[in-house]
Amino acid sequence: MPRSNTDSAVILAAYLAWGEACVERLIGDFAFVIWDGDRRRVFAARDISGARQLFYYRDRERLLIASDRTQLFQDPSIPFEVDEDQLVEFLTPAYQWTSGWDQGIFQNVYVLDAGCTLRAERGAVVARRFWEWRDREPDRRPAGEVIEQYLHTLEEAVRCRLRSRAPRVAVELSGGLDSPAIAALAARLSGGSAPELHALSMIFDQFPEVDERQRMQAVLDRYPLVPHFLVADELYRPIYFEPDWAPRSLLAPHEITGVLAGLAMEQMAAQLGCGVVLTGQMGDSVNGGSAWVYFGLLRRGDIRELWRRLRIDWGRSRRRTALGLLLHGLLPLGPLPVLRLGLLAQEYRNGMYTTLPEFLSGNLRDRIRDIDRAIRIRRVGNVQSRCPAVRTTLAEIILPMGACTVPSSLPLDYRHPYTDRRLVEMVLAMPQELKREAEEPNAWKAGRLHHRQAMEGIVPEAVRVANPGVDFTPAVRRNLSPAAMREWLLSESRIHIFERGYVLPDRFVNAIAQSATSQYYVSIMVCVEAWLRALAPGGRMHELIPARRRPTDGPAAALYSAVAPI
């Protein structure tokens, strides 16, 4: 038994009882490192949510593990160099669309992926995945029983994340479906007792099409939540646009893509004395579902429901339905290697998820294409589930989305109930047609059907039934106009993405002027420029590392001379 009830004591007791298999028994969000002196072994692990980061540096002689990249570079003998391949990987469409944006980003610095363990002994360092979804026997229970179990599992995920040493817990509350469900369950479970629950919400006075306060108020009227509102009309611009932006750690490019509104919400939670913040992150990814449920229906022999869905889909698109039945119904019934070959052929046929813009240099475009293809081929090779709907969900949640893995700049413990391993496994195993309404043509409104049914009587009807989705483009356009972006880019004489040959200067500036918000890669490259500026000598992140010995020659001479332009 652990000598105290602290997380570290519980983890250590679990390791002493079950060894490395302890990670399969731990509940919640964790990342830890254990030195096993008897075995002369280092053991580290990170849960599937990715909410806690874990980085390591290794060369022929050393292994350093830390929860923050900044900690690693306190050793001045470690070369401070950008890993060019990881930076190019960040720019690939496959990485942007299908990854958790988790990178070491510096030479010989690696991130321990979510759901993985690391063992180091006798000079060998091995990382392996301890959680991987594989096909199971189909769930043949009545739908009502499955939905009842879903509600119970989600309640348990919220309950275990309400624990806090601080007297107050914050809950992010929007007008959607995911965070109101978490707020409602947290209020029901606390029963008005400690911890005191505070709801944090963004509102917009100048953009009524974005404002969701009426839907939020419906939740606040029903449950004892202390409301706090942040007027975010002027706060939807990148944090790095601010002249006093001061990151507290070495961040990767994706970790500086947040807007001022997010930082302001963090500050609000900290000022209220909340140590824990519950979120609705990953709710849509876990529960959204897929229209391709033919395989599951065929596998369970539910021909009546299969025929009903085929008729609905046939009325929308005959060609798409026929291909869907073949690729997402009949083909997965065969051996897994055959399925992988079919998916690989489909990847080669479809190509990249988006067209690369003309303002990228030719050499960079070629490198992006090569790495993008490698990522997609690797993903197909790693497929372990034959069910298309399950593969869709797994692609959304492993690795977790960046909103879960980006560290907070303040001492706040962000917890994401929808990433609870028990809930994820339960949702993956349920009959997939329960997750999506077949007759609803709008994909956004059709998803999370089981979640909405489970929330009946818990979430107000105006929130539970309606599921419109909100487009924050008006607020983004207001805060990130082409003129503002161009002014920021040209505010310094040295523009790193020009010097490195990443973009063609004239074409890039013209692309900004044409439409900054509609061109995804414009904002991505501006973000990379902000990141490079922060890492340059005198930059905000460069100041976080100690004075470093500068070699007279060699590849470690300096950050910017170490990597040749593309």
Side-chain angles (χ1 to χ4, degrees):
M1 291 292 293
R3 295 180 180 179
S4 70
N5 65 349
T6 62
D7 290 346
S8 56
V10 170
I11 290 172
L12 185 57
Y15 178 78
L16 291 173
W18 299 296
E20 296 182 10
C22 68
V23 294
E24 299 174 8
R25 299 171 180 259
L26 295 174
I27 296 173
D29 313 328
F30 60 80
F32 64 82
V33 182
I34 294 176
W35 165 244
D36 189 334
D38 293 338
R39 297 178 176 85
R40 305 289 297 173
R41 174 191 301 167
V42 171
F43 179 66
R46 188 180 181 205
D47 82 289
I48 69 171
S49 77
R52 307 287 181 273
Q53 294 183 312
L54 211 56
F55 302 98
Y56 61 99
Y57 170 90
R58 60 174 298 193
D59 55 23
R60 294 181 179 180
E61 300 177 351
R62 295 172 297 178
L63 171 67
L64 287 77
I65 306 177
S67 58
D68 189 311
R69 300 179 190 86
T70 317
Q71 298 166 340
L72 299 175
F73 289 102
Q74 300 309 300
D75 182 342
S77 66
I78 296 178
F80 186 50
E81 305 170 18
V82 171
D83 187 324
E84 187 82 1
D85 288 337
Q86 290 191 56
L87 181 55
V88 176
E89 179 184 61
F90 170 73
L91 298 174
T92 61
Y95 188 82
Q96 288 286 325
W97 267 259
T98 64
S99 75
W101 294 1
D102 243 353
Q103 291 182 308
I105 206 62
F106 296 100
Q107 287 287 350
N108 294 331
V109 175
Y110 307 91
V111 62
L112 183 63
D113 288 335
C116 289
T117 63
L118 180 144
R119 180 203 294 171
E121 60 181 344
R122 298 176 183 176
V125 179
V126 178
R128 70 171 183 87
R129 183 165 294 282
F130 72 82
W131 185 86
E132 206 165 42
W133 180 261
R134 295 180 183 272
D135 290 328
R136 301 184 181 184
E137 286 298 314
D139 192 336
R140 303 181 186 277
R141 293 176 299 166
E145 291 185 18
V146 176
I147 293 172
E148 183 179 355
Q149 182 191 355
Y150 170 81
L151 175 59
H152 173 73
T153 307
L154 181 57
E155 283 180 330
E156 285 301 306
V158 174
R159 186 195 307 275
C160 73
R161 286 166 175 80
L162 279 172
R163 182 170 57 92
S164 174
R165 292 182 180 179
R168 296 176 175 180
V169 169
V171 184
E172 292 184 350
L173 177 62
S174 71
L177 178 60
D178 300 322
S179 63
I182 299 301
L185 290 176
R188 283 161 52 100
L189 291 168
S190 67
S193 61
E196 188 176 83
L197 295 178
H198 290 251
L200 311 181
S201 304
M202 292 186 194
I203 59 175
F204 296 85
D205 291 333
Q206 301 174 29
F207 304 104
E209 67 273 39
V210 173
D211 192 72
E212 301 177 291
R213 72 186 78 189
Q214 285 187 337
R215 292 162 61 82
M216 300 171 193
Q217 194 60 48
V219 178
L220 295 171
D221 288 342
R222 179 174 295 190
Y223 294 105
L225 300 161
V226 182
H228 304 274
F229 298 103
L230 173 69
V231 181
D233 295 278
E234 305 294 336
L235 298 176
Y236 252 71
R237 60 184 180 276
I239 55 175
Y240 54 79
F241 270 28
E242 294 303 289
D244 59 349
W245 173 56
R248 301 189 180 190
S249 61
L250 287 175
L251 304 174
H254 80 276
E255 293 169 344
I256 66 171
T257 57
V259 295
L260 290 173
L263 180 59
M265 289 278 281
E266 288 187 2
Q267 294 171 340
M268 181 186 293
Q271 291 169 0
L272 289 170
C274 300
V276 169
V277 181
L278 298 184
T279 83
Q281 297 289 354
M282 299 288 286
D284 184 51
S285 299
V286 171
N287 291 319
S290 168
W292 303 119
V293 297
Y294 303 152
F295 167 78
L297 294 170
L298 284 170
R299 194 177 177 213
R300 290 201 313 279
D302 193 345
I303 304 302
R304 177 178 297 179
E305 178 63 18
L306 174 66
W307 176 247
R308 185 181 80 87
R309 295 202 172 231
L310 282 172
R311 290 181 61 185
I312 293 172
D313 294 339
W314 188 263
R316 296 169 182 164
S317 171
R318 296 184 178 184
R319 179 178 179 276
R320 180 176 170 82
T321 303
L323 284 174
L325 180 61
L326 174 63
L327 298 177
H328 305 299
L330 299 175
L331 181 62
L333 292 174
L336 195 58
V338 175
L339 172 62
R340 290 196 185 109
L341 286 175
L343 294 174
L344 189 61
Q346 191 175 13
E347 284 291 345
Y348 275 107
R349 178 178 178 272
N350 294 339
M352 289 191 296
Y353 298 116
T354 188
T355 302
L356 298 178
E358 292 296 326
F359 59 71
L360 296 180
S361 67
N363 287 339
L364 181 59
R365 290 160 64 91
D366 291 341
R367 291 184 65 183
I368 287 176
R369 290 191 184 98
D370 291 342
I371 294 178
D372 185 90
R373 185 183 301 110
I375 291 174
R376 289 184 286 114
I377 291 174
R378 184 169 63 247
R379 287 177 63 85
V380 171
N382 291 336
V383 164
Q384 298 295 336
S385 175
R386 291 184 296 169
C387 177
V390 167
R391 291 201 309 273
T392 298
T393 302
L394 287 172
E396 290 283 332
I397 65 176
I398 301 294
L399 298 166
M401 63 191 294
C404 289
T405 61
V406 173
S408 170
S409 60
L410 299 173
L412 292 171
D413 191 0
Y414 277 84
R415 297 175 183 169
H416 318 290
Y418 290 110
T419 66
D420 188 286
R421 179 177 169 181
R422 299 165 298 177
L423 183 74
V424 169
E425 291 177 343
M426 190 267 154
V427 173
L428 289 172
M430 72 166 50
Q432 295 298 311
E433 68 272 14
L434 297 184
K435 299 170 68 175
R436 201 173 188 91
E437 174 56 61
E439 297 180 359
E440 172 56 61
N442 183 289
W444 178 256
K445 294 180 180 180
R448 298 177 287 182
L449 176 62
H450 67 290
H451 182 56
R452 284 186 274 121
Q453 292 176 336
M455 291 300 109
E456 186 173 3
I458 298 174
V459 173
E461 287 298 288
V463 177
R464 185 185 74 87
V465 178
N467 189 18
V470 176
D471 182 4
F472 289 93
T473 299
V476 174
R477 284 177 176 164
R478 169 73 169 271
N479 290 269
L480 192 61
S481 66
M485 186 175 291
R486 184 179 185 276
E487 180 183 0
W488 179 88
L489 179 69
L490 302 179
S491 62
E492 294 189 9
S493 58
R494 185 180 187 185
I495 302 177
H496 300 282
I497 57 175
F498 293 176
E499 289 185 2
R500 287 170 165 252
Y502 289 167
V503 299
L504 304 175
D506 291 341
R507 290 188 180 182
F508 186 67
V509 173
N510 288 337
I512 293 176
Q514 290 170 6
S515 180
T517 56
S518 65
Q519 295 195 34
Y520 182 74
Y521 267 95
V522 169
S523 58
I524 289 297
M525 294 311 301
V526 170
C527 173
V528 169
E529 172 63 24
W531 182 68
L532 292 171
R533 290 183 185 183
L535 288 177
R540 297 297 174 84
M541 286 196 289
H542 193 277
E543 296 173 355
L544 297 172
I545 61 176
R548 309 183 64 79
R549 295 192 297 270
R550 181 184 177 94
T552 57
D553 54 19
L559 173 65
Y560 286 90
S561 62
V563 182
I566 293 177

